[in-house]
Amino acid sequence: MSRAASLREKHDGALDDRGSVRLWLRLLTCTTVIEKRLKRRFADQYGVTLPRFDVMAALDRHPEGMTMGQLSQALLVSNGNVTGVVQVLVRDRYVSLAPSPTDGRSSVARLTQLGRECFAGLAEAHHEWIEAMLAGLDREERGQLHQLLGVLKDSLAAEGGEE
Amino acid sequence: MSRAASLREKHDGALDDRGSVRLWLRLLTCTTVIEKRLKRRFADQYGVTLPRFDVMAALDRHPEGMTMGQLSQALLVSNGNVTGVVQVLVRDRYVSLAPSPTDGRSSVARLTQLGRECFAGLAEAHHEWIEAMLAGLDREERGQLHQLLGVLKDSLAAEGGEE
DNA sequence: GTATGAAATTTCAAGCTTGAAATATCATAT
DNA sequence: ATATGATATTTCAAGCTTGAAATTTCATAC
C-alpha cells in the first residue's frame, strides 16, 4: 500500500512565482516537517523535548563542561533560554552545574553519569530517525545537498544579520 | 570591509561523523538563521510577527476567504494556534471574520482593505530580504537546491509521520 | 584602593506552539 | 424526529523563545 501522499508545502500554490521565495518556502517546509517529527518522537518515546536534547548533545561533545554562554552560542539561542532548559536538566539529574574556578560570573554545566547514559540512547534513536527520513536521497544527492547548503550558509554569512 | 565571518553551525564540530546528521544540522542551521532574520526585521521595521505575516499571506492568496481549518492546514500549525493569531489580526482590523453561510461550525477569515494594503508592503520587503539572503547562489545552484529539496520532500512523504 | 565600564547570568513579560478537553454544529441511519 | 458519530472550533495548561532590565563579577585606569 503505502500511498505516500506527497507533502503539502507551506503556502502551497502561491501565485508568487518568484523562485527565491519558492525555494525558501520549500527549505522551510522540509525543516519544519523533520523538526516536528523529531519533536513528537522524542516526546512520545522518551519524554524529552528537543531543546533538552540539544543541550545534552552539546554537553556530550564537551566532557570538560560548558558555560551558559558557550551553550547559548553553540545552540544559537538566547542566554535566558539556556538558563531555563539547563535548570530542568539539573532538576532531573542529567546535568550538574558548578561554579567556574576561573571566573566567578560563570558556572559550568556537565552531563552527569545518568545524563551520559540517557543521551546515548537518545542519540542512537535520533540518528536512526534522520537516516530513515533521508533514505530517499542517495549518496550523491546527499553530498550535493550538503554542498549547496554550504553555499547558502556562506551567502547568509555574507549578507550579514545587520550586526 | 565586510569580513563576512563564516556562520557557526548548530552543534558545530560534532565528532558525530555520520553524514546524514551533519546534513540535517546544516539544513536546520540555514533555516533557523533565515527565519530569525526575517523575524527580527519584521518586528523592527513593521511591528509584525512571522505567524501574523503567514496568516496574511495565506489570506492574500485566497480573496474568497479561508476557514480556520483551512488556515491551519495551509500553515502546518494547530487549530488552536490559528485561533489566537487570527484574533489579534481581527483586533487590529487587518482581518475580518464572518460565519460561514454553508456551515454553522465554521467561520471565514478574509483580509480587510487595510490588511491588503499592509500586506503588500510586507510581501515586498519579504521578497527583497529573501532575494538578498540567497544572493550568493546563482541561477543554476538555486535550481539544483530546489530540485534536491524536492527529493527530500518526497523522501519525507515516503517515510511518513507514523500517521 | 577605587571607580568605571565590560561581561556572564538570571529574571521576567509577552508571544508562539501544541495537544487534549470541551462545545457546537453537521450528517446520517433509523 | 432522534440518536450517533464525525467535524470545526475554542479554551487551556505547559513549554519554548526572545529581548530588556537587573544583578553580580571581572578588568582596568587612575
Side-chain angles (χ1 to χ4, degrees):
Chain A
M1 293 297 107
S2 99
R3 289 172 297 93
S6 101
L7 247 47
R8 206 177 11 263
E9 195 152 290
K10 194 164 187 178
H11 291 154
D12 212 5
L15 305 183
D16 201 303
D17 249 328
R18 307 182 267 200
S20 56
V21 173
R22 293 239 309 248
L23 173 51
W24 158 238
L25 292 177
R26 181 165 282 188
L27 181 68
L28 178 59
T29 297
C30 288
T31 301
T32 301
V33 168
I34 295 174
E35 212 169 10
K36 286 190 175 171
R37 285 189 192 167
L38 293 176
K39 176 185 175 176
R40 157 129 27 178
R41 292 176 193 180
F42 269 134
D44 288 352
Q45 300 179 32
Y46 295 94
V48 168
T49 66
L50 228 28
R52 287 173 211 179
F53 171 77
D54 285 340
V55 167
M56 293 178 79
L59 293 179
D60 189 66
R61 284 186 290 95
H62 291 273
E64 75 281 11
M66 298 175 79
T67 66
M68 301 306 241
Q70 287 171 335
L71 276 170
S72 168
Q73 286 195 350
L75 302 179
L76 311 178
V77 298
S78 68
N79 267 331
N81 190 348
V82 171
T83 298
V85 176
V86 167
Q87 276 174 355
V88 317
L89 288 172
V90 169
R91 163 172 64 65
D92 293 347
R93 308 289 172 193
Y94 294 139
V95 168
S96 69
L97 211 47
S100 164
T102 70
D103 187 335
R105 296 166 300 180
S106 301
S107 40
V108 178
R110 285 185 192 79
L111 278 187
T112 62
Q113 180 59 31
L114 174 61
R116 262 188 303 280
E117 288 164 2
C118 286
F119 178 72
L122 299 179
E124 173 66 16
H126 180 253
H127 178 239
E128 283 172 10
W129 292 332
I130 299 292
E131 205 65 74
M133 288 194 267
L134 300 193
L137 285 79
D138 62 31
R139 185 172 190 73
E140 187 186 346
E141 287 168 329
R142 292 183 195 199
Q144 287 176 352
L145 186 48
H146 191 267
Q147 185 264 324
L148 284 166
L149 289 172
V151 178
L152 173 54
K153 219 176 87 166
D154 293 342
S155 177
L156 293 173
E159 201 247 357
E162 35 249 29
E163 48 243 350
Chain B
M1 291 298 104
S2 98
R3 289 171 296 95
S6 103
L7 247 48
R8 209 178 5 264
E9 194 152 289
K10 196 165 185 175
H11 292 152
D12 211 4
L15 304 184
D16 199 304
D17 250 329
R18 309 182 266 201
S20 56
V21 173
R22 293 238 310 244
L23 173 51
W24 158 238
L25 293 178
R26 182 166 282 190
L27 181 68
L28 178 59
T29 297
C30 287
T31 301
T32 301
V33 167
I34 295 174
E35 212 168 11
K36 287 191 174 170
R37 286 189 191 170
L38 292 177
K39 176 184 174 178
R40 158 129 27 175
R41 293 174 192 183
F42 269 135
D44 288 351
Q45 300 179 33
Y46 295 94
V48 169
T49 66
L50 229 29
R52 288 172 209 179
F53 172 77
D54 286 340
V55 167
M56 293 177 80
L59 293 180
D60 189 67
R61 283 188 290 96
H62 291 274
E64 75 281 11
M66 298 176 80
T67 66
M68 300 307 241
Q70 287 171 334
L71 275 170
S72 168
Q73 286 194 350
L75 302 179
L76 312 177
V77 298
S78 68
N79 267 333
N81 189 348
V82 172
T83 298
V85 177
V86 167
Q87 276 173 355
V88 317
L89 288 172
V90 169
R91 163 172 66 65
D92 293 347
R93 308 291 173 191
Y94 293 139
V95 168
S96 69
L97 211 47
S100 164
T102 71
D103 187 334
R105 297 166 298 181
S106 301
S107 40
V108 178
R110 284 184 192 81
L111 278 187
T112 61
Q113 179 59 30
L114 174 62
R116 262 189 302 280
E117 288 164 1
C118 286
F119 177 73
L122 298 179
E124 173 65 16
H126 180 254
H127 178 239
E128 282 172 10
W129 293 333
I130 300 293
E131 204 64 72
M133 288 193 269
L134 300 192
L137 285 79
D138 62 30
R139 185 172 190 73
E140 188 186 347
E141 287 169 330
R142 292 184 195 198
Q144 287 177 351
L145 186 49
H146 191 267
Q147 185 264 324
L148 285 166
L149 289 171
V151 177
L152 174 54
K153 220 177 88 164
D154 293 342
S155 177
L156 293 173
E159 201 246 0
E162 32 251 27
E163 50 244 352

